[in-house]
Structures are given as C-alpha cells and as structure tokens.
C-alpha cells in the first residue's frame, strides 16, 4: 500500500469515527484543539501532523490501538535454551544502516 493511500484510509476511518460519535467537524475541532482548517484538510487529503492526529484520536478513540500496533514484537521462546540465549542478546539502541 502506498503512503498516500494509507493517509486517505486513516482519514476516512477517523471521519467515520467522528460521524459515529455524531460530532461535526467544528465540534471535533473544539474538543481536540485542532484548528478546523487542519481537520478539514485532513479529512479531504489525509495530510496532518502527528501531534494533531494524536489529539484527534484522544477524542474519537484509537490512540491506544496505535500505540499497541507500533510496539516491537516480543520474542517467543520454545525452550530454556532460547531463554538463556536471549539473556545475552542486547537490544540495539541505534541502527546500522543509513
């Protein structure tokens, strides 16, 4: 999926959540603190800053889902040897590639 399609899908889902809550764009703008023009641009084109998106998600719901979805995968162990091996594997704090 391209980023532009993802942006539009996210905007559509947020608009649908707003409508389920029976909020107008102006009402969501006031509750979230996101300017009305920014909200309109987001719903039409999918363009918004991360901070504004998070403010909107606080009102319409979904903030926790985004946080959970971005958590790194936790290792699954099948034996005690896997656990012992994992103990000595340090998680990287920086990437190697540019």
């Amino acid at each position: 999926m391209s980023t532009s399609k993802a942006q539009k899908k996210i905007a559509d889902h947020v608009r649908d959540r707003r409508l389920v809550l029976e909020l107008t764009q102006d009402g969501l703008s006031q509750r979230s603190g996101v300017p009305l023009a920014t909200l309109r641009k987001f719903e039409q084109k999918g363009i918004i800053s991360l901070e504004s998106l998070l403010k909107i998600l606080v009102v319409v719901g979904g903030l926790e889902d985004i946080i959970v979805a971005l958590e790194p995968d936790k290792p699954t162990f099948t034996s005690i040897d896997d656990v012992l091996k994992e103990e000595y594997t340090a998680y990287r704090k920086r990437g190697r590639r540019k």
Side-chain angles (χ1 to χ4, degrees), residues 35-52:
L36 182 57
T38 301
L39 180 59
R40 284 185 177 152
K41 184 177 178 182
F42 171 58
E43 287 192 0
Q44 291 172 1
K45 299 180 182 179
I47 299 170
I48 195 167
S49 72
L50 177 60
E51 181 181 11
S52 294

Side-chain angles (χ1 to χ4, degrees), residues 41-85:
K41 184 177 178 182
F42 171 58
E43 287 192 0
Q44 291 172 1
K45 299 180 182 179
I47 299 170
I48 195 167
S49 72
L50 177 60
E51 181 181 11
S52 294
L53 176 60
L54 297 178
K55 286 179 179 180
I56 291 169
L57 291 178
V58 166
V59 177
V60 300
L63 180 62
E64 295 80 14
D65 297 332
I66 296 288
I67 292 170
V68 169
L70 294 175
E71 285 180 357
D73 294 333
K74 295 180 182 170
T76 55
F77 302 114
T78 56
S79 70
I80 190 67
D81 292 330
D82 291 344
V83 174
L84 294 173
K85 191 167 94 177

Side-chain angles (χ1 to χ4, degrees), residues 5-48:
K5 284 184 181 180
Q7 284 175 301
K8 187 62 181 142
K9 279 189 171 276
I10 290 169
D12 290 343
H13 292 318
V14 170
R15 185 188 66 242
D16 292 344
R17 284 177 177 247
R18 173 179 65 79
L19 294 174
V20 166
L21 294 171
E22 298 183 4
L23 284 173
T24 63
Q25 286 181 334
D26 188 48
L28 178 56
S29 171
Q30 289 178 9
R31 288 181 184 208
S32 66
V34 174
L36 182 57
T38 301
L39 180 59
R40 284 185 177 152
K41 184 177 178 182
F42 171 58
E43 287 192 0
Q44 291 172 1
K45 299 180 182 179
I47 299 170
I48 195 167

